[in-house]
Amino acid sequence: MSDPKRESAELSGTVNREARFQERLVRLPEVMARVGMRRSAIYQRMRDGSFPRSRSLGSKCTVWIESEIDDWIKSVEAT
């Protein structure tokens, strides 16, 4: 016989792992369009610690995690 609690926990763990791997990475032009700021303003706020940090995927590839940008937008809307 199967244990419904165990199956539920296993399914929940699978969903959490899948959600973590479905995180979208966005490049600077999309970040600029979504937040309505220019490159210099974004990088200044990153230095100040008031904007999500970018990640480097190589010498010429910088990305942001979409959910962090979304959270920042929500925090600005709330103020």
Side-chain angles (χ1 to χ4, degrees):
M1 297 195 121
S2 63
D3 181 6
K5 287 183 182 179
R6 182 177 177 190
E7 287 177 7
S8 176
E10 288 173 357
L11 179 59
S12 173
T14 301
V15 170
N16 288 338
R17 278 192 300 271
E18 288 176 2
R20 184 177 53 198
F21 290 115
Q22 291 178 355
E23 199 64 62
R24 190 165 166 261
L25 303 176
V26 293
R27 301 286 303 269
L28 182 59
E30 183 175 346
V31 173
M32 290 169 43
R34 292 188 62 192
V35 301
M37 293 189 295
R38 293 185 180 262
R39 178 188 183 281
S40 58
I42 290 170
Y43 280 97
Q44 178 61 48
R45 284 172 175 76
M46 282 175 40
R47 280 191 295 280
D48 296 345
S50 61
F51 194 80
R53 303 295 277 168
S54 62
R55 273 61 167 197
S56 176
L57 296 183
S59 62
K60 295 185 180 188
C61 184
T62 302
V63 296
W64 284 259
I65 297 175
E66 184 177 40
S67 63
E68 292 178 1
I69 299 300
D70 292 340
D71 292 343
W72 183 86
I73 292 169
K74 288 176 190 170
S75 74
V76 170
E77 290 174 345
T79 58

